[in-house]
Amino acid sequence: MKTVILATAIRILIPIFIIFSVYTLFRGHNHPGGGFIGGLIGAIAFVFHTMTHGPHQTVNTFLKINLYGYPRQPNQSRSLYLMRMMRVNVWRRRRLARHPQLKERMIRIEPIYIIATGLLLAATSGVAGLIAGQPFMHAFWADFYIPILGKPGTPILFDIGVYLLVIGVVLKITFVMSEE
Amino acid sequence: MELLLPFLIGILFSASLYLILHRHFFKLILGLILFGLATNLFLFVIGRLTRGGSAIISQSERVATEPFADPVPQALLLTAIVIGFGIQAFAIVLIKRVYQSFETTDLDDMSTTDQIEENH
Amino acid sequence: MFLAILAGFLFAFAAPLLYRWLGKWVYVPMALLPFSIFAYLLTLTPSVLGGDNLGEVQQWAPSLNINLHFYLDGLSLLFALLITGFGTLIMLYAGGYLKGHPLLGRFYLYLTLFMTAMLGLVLAGNIISLFVFWELTSISSYLLIGFGHDKESSRASALQALLVTGLGGLALMAGLILVGMAGDTYTLSELLERGDMVTNHALYLPALVLVLLGAFTKSAQFPFHFWLPNAMAAPTPVSAYLHSATMVKAGVYLLARLTPVMGGTDEWQYTLMIVGGITTVLGALLAVQHTDLKAILAYTTISALGLLVTMTGVGTAPALEAMVVFLLAHALYKGTFFLVAGNVDHATGTRDLTQLTGLSGSMRYTAIAALLAGMSMAGLLPFFGFIGKELVYEATLEESPFRWMLFAISFFSGMVFVAVAIALGFGLFWQRSAKPTPLLHPDKALLYLPPVILSITGLVFGLLPGFLVTPLLRRSAEAMLGVEQVFELALWHGFNLVLGLSLLTIALGYVVYRFSNRLQAYATRFNGLYRYGPANLYQLSLKGFLAGVTKITASIQNGYLRSYIAAIVLTHITLIMLSLWKDGPRLELANRLPELAQLRMYEVVLLLMIVPALIFLFKSRSRLTSIAIMGIIGYSIALFYILFGAPDVAATQLLIETLTVVIFVLILHKLPAFRYLSHASERYKYILLSLAFGAMMTYVILIVKQYPLDSELKAYYGENSYLLGQGRNIVNVILVDFRALDTLGEIVVLAVAAIGILAMLKLRMQKGEKP
Amino acid sequence: MNHLLLLLPLLIPLYGAILCLFFWRYVRVQQLIGILAQACMLIASFVLLLEVNNKGIMSTQMGSWPAPFGITIVADVFSSLMVITSSITGMAIYLYSIKGLDKARQTFGYYPVLLILQMGVSGACLTGDLFNLFVWFEVLLICCFVLIALGGTKPQLEGAIKYVTINFLASGFLLTGIGVVYGIMGSLNMAELAVLVRTPVSHPALISMAGMFFLIAFGIKSAIFPLFFWLPASYHTPPIAISAFIAGMLTKVGMYALIRLFTLIFVTDQDLTIPLLTVLAGFTMVIGVFGAASQNDFRKILSFHIVSQIGYMLMGLALFTPLAIAGSIYFIIHNILVKTNLFLISGVVAHRNGTFALKKLGGVYLQHPFLSLLFFISAFSLAGIPPFSGFWGKFMLAKAGFEIDSFVIVITSLAVSLITIFSMTKIWNEVFWKKKPESDPLLDVMADSEQQASRMMHVPIVFLVVFILFIGIYAEPVVSMAHLAAEQLLNSELYINAVLKR
């Protein structure tokens, strides 16, 4: 399946898929869609990527974060240092990566952690009610709208949890399977 | 009232059971998936059907207006589909592992755990 | 009393520890326990003899009306004294007999456990707690019989004893429940006053049968007698204690205890007399045949137990009086004999009568004990056994339709008892012999003191009957009779018919002894009969049972998945049909036929897509084609969901279907080519079954949809999902709010599935598992 | 407080599992989390039981949606008893797993899955909604799939394929059954359904038909005759830590669901269900015990006995008197504890001797007297010898049977109990009393350190034996709670009022 055209096409399509999946997630409360469908759409994008490029490539592209850092100078103020670090990591990583003092640290996002985060979000959205002395999963809504995303509330948090979990699960399954 | 659908579901059930009763485990897994489909359809159909109107409250309304499809079977169905997917995925992998271990596709070769050991 | 029982259990479980600390001296505390209980009971004796029935209640399971009632009257006092008194001696004896045995601690554990259970049994004032102790005696007996657990035969005997008494135990439980229902109480003291209520109850007969089954198995009555001789695999102290003096008498105790409750009816009388009579004669007959000391003792014990049961069955005042006296006498001399047999076995290494002779020189004290016990057993004059036998004869000769029958039975057994008494009490020790059997070690005090004490007690009771035991025995007999009854025990009744018969018994017994060799030779001719005996029947049925269940199990649990599924689906269809069979709604398809006219295009299209796809699926032998066809079916169904206003479901179905296909491709593409494995012979059966299953499902849908559905859920969700749930997509609101718990469960399923797939593909145990 | 208390049995294992997932690579941490979660579960479930026992049925509506529109979590005495039993068992299993399960398996998600399994048990026992019940059963099911196949040895895979197939079908039947119920009555809330079936309906036969779907579905899950085949094929294949929990808990949760549904909802057509259940109960007992008697493998004997004992529980339901149902409930609790413990003991024995085959085992009586004592207590509890726990269940069932003149089933059950004694003594004779046969040199290697480890494995067994002895020798608390539970079950008004807040 590793044809170049397909591979390229998929590489281009993936951001679109992901944006679409997030969109589906948030509009789900009012239109067809929701955490599941959104999650599945997002996951399928990754699945195609994995099928064309192999799991390692997928991990390297999407699930690996390279962080750079260097020790704080004694006379450097803490806030300035943090600013620098952020700049190094976010905007100018390529260029600054050649800095001799820089240390590279790689963080791989295990899909299991995505699963766990999803579960945690979903469960905790319900616990909010318990803390307030209400039943489990009692819904709390904010009384303002955020454009596109809609009204924030604990059920939306729940749906995000579902979304993350579905992505994590599908990713994990496909990684393991395609390594076979 | 859709008169053909119950029969279609019946056919699906029959076909899936027949596949499940095969000795070849690839057929078994096909049968299981088909069985899941049939079950889902069954759940959907038996909760009564409403043609057209989906269970979405239109922007102009505050409550849903008839006719709209009963959302309950749909919600149940969604849950059931996803659960079914999880189990099916597991079953497919299981079949794969079974094949790797036993190097056979014949279910009848897998009857050792039920056998009674001799004690003498 | 409760404390006594509790102390018993505590001591029992402390025994292994005590053994670790005290070594061979462990017998001291263990003997002290029954002795102190014995002493304690003696202090209670005056008040019991004075006519009080002592009671004590401990709450146990009040919601089931089961409490630890204790009830002490003459009968239970007699037994309790027997148990603890004899128990003291046995504890001492065991200390000598099993000295140096590595498992002595465990032995004391079991023995003390048994003793306590037995004590609990006779003291219980609630028939269910009686049953609890009853079963405890069974399992402790099991452990004791299997004490020599290295030997196959020991294990088999233990199992046999447990199964037979266990069978009885279960019957007894059922019986006691029925008795409790008939008498509307489990409390003994109340039951004892409700005899009429029980015997007139509709459940009386089944209760009787079950209770008797329990008593007969425990007391080794015909046809359950066979376990007792085998139980002699236990160490001798156990045989002496359990299988002669106490446990086997539990059945007799139960019968005696329940006499006022269930006795007095014809059924009771006849059954007891018949079974007891057969057992008496059979035990005596079998005793003559054997030359193994313990076997002889076991069979005479069976015979004696039979006699006790018979006497209980007769149920008249003299008979019950005879029964208690004989019971005590028998316990004393038979216990002695068992201990003597144990001494001989221990000292010489054999129990075969034909190889043993002239032991009086080397085992003087044991010999004296044996002589005394023998004289008591033979029923010679100043001994307690004499009184017992006199009373039995007197009781059997009472005016009744069966008097000669009863007399013949007791006479016959008496004769054999005399013969056995001569052989064991005299022949073994005192008969002159040129070559006395050599001893492995000299006689030991711990071993000969208990039998000597026992046999002397027999003599003392005989000499002074009125002084020591009469009041107690009278109270026991009264407990059975339920009325005051005055009787006196006397050694000398004057010259009368009974005395003459006694003498005749002794004379004939001597004849039997003289000719025992010939009798044995003659008896071996009948050995073929064993094949039809209950012992063999037990073996056969055990073997047959095992073969049978293996066959049944192998045919049911045959290892073929498809036959399992077929069975399940068949059951399913049957049950559904069963539920609709009777006054189920009828399907009215006819008046819905016009609907066919409104057939929608999509339905037809769907049908036209799915049915051919299915046909292709059956025909296809290529995996990829099959996968593709599955995909087509899945997508068509998704299409269908769209048509019926379920866009979310449709989208999910589509995506899931895609993923499934992907997984299929990822996982199964390396499998070998499709071979068509089928089972031609079964194919038609399976096709039929599948069709029936499909038809049933169709039928279910049609019949359910025949009725209107008014779902209040639908209305509620329609109204509130936006107003309260803040969402316009009702399905989504249900998923994340109304029924979010379902969704939580569902994502948990997904997470676990992912973990499972990961584990399955990544974790491969190389060698066999480590459990 | 109610809201929290009712949710704790679900949330504690869930959060435990989530934490375990975050510490995926650190087995030690997972063990710690597991133990901690178990301890919390024990406390929470104990408090729940006390509360329910004192105050009656408690309920909470998920998301504040009034019943029957949301999902209700409801605890009566029966479900609280189930939850506490499951947490006791869970604690024992965890204590056992630390030493008793190989490291490789522990690293692959054993702890989170086991925690989720417990969550599933709690969920299934506490839910008041039919579809939610299905969801929890699926949670249980997938956990069992994963655990049974964990490690992927040949027998495990073979067992798993039968287990998965048949239980997948069962889930299908359950789902169709739920569909039928919704199609007839338009509700999923169990209390609401209980109200609906008790009002006159035009088509009562349909309700009993729906009942049949559930009978089959939960019948498969609780392994009644003739639906039990998957159990003897699979339960003995995974490592003991896994089979012990599954064998102890799972079928009983199925039984819980059967008892719940057939006392609450499907009570309309008792002319059909009671004889049917009676017949099934009888056959289940007999066939199960026959299977057990025919086996010569420690675990297989125990597995088949599960089937047989399910028969007893079903018998209590079939007799349908307060005493009988109390007997069933008592029996379930007793059986969970005892069966788990017997499996654990078989694991310790096999750990030391390397095999489960009776003919290769022997001599444990002399080598490990303490273990023998523990086995003896558990085995004779199972066989129903007084004063151990099995007796009380047997007694209650027998008494209840006699009270309504069901002599045949009672006699059957007693006969079965005799055969149970037989097969327990078979194990005792072969494994404990018999001399150890000349053994396979391959089987007999065990380092000193492993001996030490196996001593640690006694801890959970002792832990369970304490409970077994407690509910046996001092049966009153559990018996009276079982009575209370049965009363609540048969008096469905209580349940309905608690859920629907009328």
Side-chain angles (χ1 to χ4, degrees), chain D residues 2 20 73 101 123 170 216 343 374 387 407 448 502:
Chain D
N2 271 6
C20 283
I73 293 287
L101 191 72
I216 290 287
F343 264 95
L374 296 173
F407 288 96
D448 281 352
R502 289 193 304 199

Side-chain angles (χ1 to χ4, degrees), chain C residues 464-514:
Chain C
L464 300 166
F467 166 63
L468 281 169
V469 285
T470 311
L472 182 58
L473 292 175
R474 188 172 63 220
R475 297 292 306 164
S476 328
E478 278 171 12
M480 287 192 269
L481 276 171
V483 287
E484 296 265 325
Q485 180 79 22
V486 179
F487 76 90
E488 290 296 332
L489 289 188
L491 193 55
W492 183 249
H493 288 251
F495 292 101
N496 54 12
L497 174 66
V498 174
L499 186 66
L501 289 171
S502 271
L503 291 175
L504 185 64
T505 317
I506 294 168
L508 283 177
Y510 182 70
V511 173
V512 172
Y513 168 68
R514 285 299 298 173

Side-chain angles (χ1 to χ4, degrees), chain C residues 13 60-64 66 103 106 110 128 131-132 135-136 139 142-143 146-147 149-150 155 158-159 162-163 166-167 170 173-174 177-178 181 186 203 210 542 545-546 549-550 552-553 556-557 559 561 564-565 567-569 571-572 575-576 578-580 582-585 693 696-697 700 703-704 707-714 716-717 720 724-725 737-742 744-746 748-749 752-753 755-756 758-760 762-765 767 769-771, chain D residues 21 24 62 65-66 68-71 73 100 102 104-105 108-109 113 116 129 131-132 135 139 142-143 146 149-151 162 165-166 169 173 180 182-183 185-186 188 192 203 205-206 208-209 212-213 215-216 220 226-229 232-233 237-239 271-272 276 287 290-291 293-295 304 323 350-351 356 365-366 369 376 380 385-387 391-392 394-396 398-399 402-403 407 414 417-419 421-422 425 428-429 433-435 450 473 476 479-480 483:
Chain C
F13 285 97
W60 192 18
S63 48
L64 292 173
I66 300 172
L103 299 182
R106 267 185 245 186
Y110 303 151
I128 301 299
F131 171 75
V132 170
E135 289 288 79
L136 262 180
I139 44 174
Y142 168 72
L143 289 168
F147 191 69
H149 54 86
D150 287 346
R155 297 197 297 268
L159 177 64
L162 184 70
L163 284 184
L167 168 73
L170 290 165
M173 180 177 105
I177 293 174
L178 291 180
M181 280 163 62
Y186 292 134
L203 289 173
L210 291 165
L542 196 63
F545 170 75
L546 282 180
V549 295
T550 309
I552 293 174
T553 309
I556 291 180
Q557 193 72 29
L561 181 59
Y564 299 164
I565 292 172
I568 288 171
V569 172
T571 317
H572 192 29
L575 289 191
I576 295 291
L578 202 65
S579 67
L580 290 175
K582 203 181 44 168
D583 55 53
F693 181 61
M696 178 197 81
M697 286 303 199
V700 168
I703 203 135
V704 168
Y707 299 94
L709 168 71
D710 51 335
S711 161
E712 51 174 343
L713 296 189
K714 180 184 172 185
Y716 181 87
Y717 292 150
N720 294 322
L724 299 177
D737 201 345
F738 288 118
R739 300 184 61 91
L741 199 62
D742 284 347
L744 187 65
E746 162 195 354
V748 166
V749 170
V752 175
I755 295 172
L758 169 70
M760 193 131 64
K762 290 280 176 188
L763 174 65
R764 312 240 160 131
M765 307 301 288
K767 65 185 182 69
E769 74 201 87
K770 196 107 184 96
Chain D
L21 286 183
W24 179 253
M62 294 297 88
W65 299 108
F69 305 111
I71 291 174
I73 293 287
D102 47 282
R105 284 194 173 93
F108 272 92
V113 174
I116 289 177
D129 186 280
F131 188 75
N132 201 235
V135 172
V139 171
I142 187 82
C143 290
V146 172
L150 190 65
K162 287 165 189 160
T165 311
I166 296 180
L169 290 182
F173 294 149
V180 172
Y182 184 77
M185 292 182 271
L188 293 166
E192 171 90 352
H203 36 76
L206 286 188
S208 66
M209 180 196 78
M212 292 303 138
F213 276 92
L215 180 59
I216 290 287
I220 291 175
L227 316 164
F228 64 80
F229 309 104
T237 56
D271 293 345
L272 174 68
L276 181 66
I287 298 291
F290 278 6
S294 68
Q295 301 292 332
F304 257 112
L323 183 62
H351 186 82
F356 287 97
Y365 182 69
L366 288 179
F376 194 83
F380 281 85
I385 300 276
F391 163 70
W392 300 99
K394 197 167 77 180
F395 173 78
M396 286 155 91
K399 185 171 180 228
F402 281 138
E403 277 171 358
F407 288 96
L414 293 181
S417 140
L418 185 68
I419 308 177
I421 298 178
F422 167 75
T425 48
W428 176 257
N429 275 351
W433 267 356
K434 189 180 69 185
K435 256 199 200 118
E450 284 192 69
I473 290 172
E476 174 60 19
V479 169
S480 63
H483 272 291

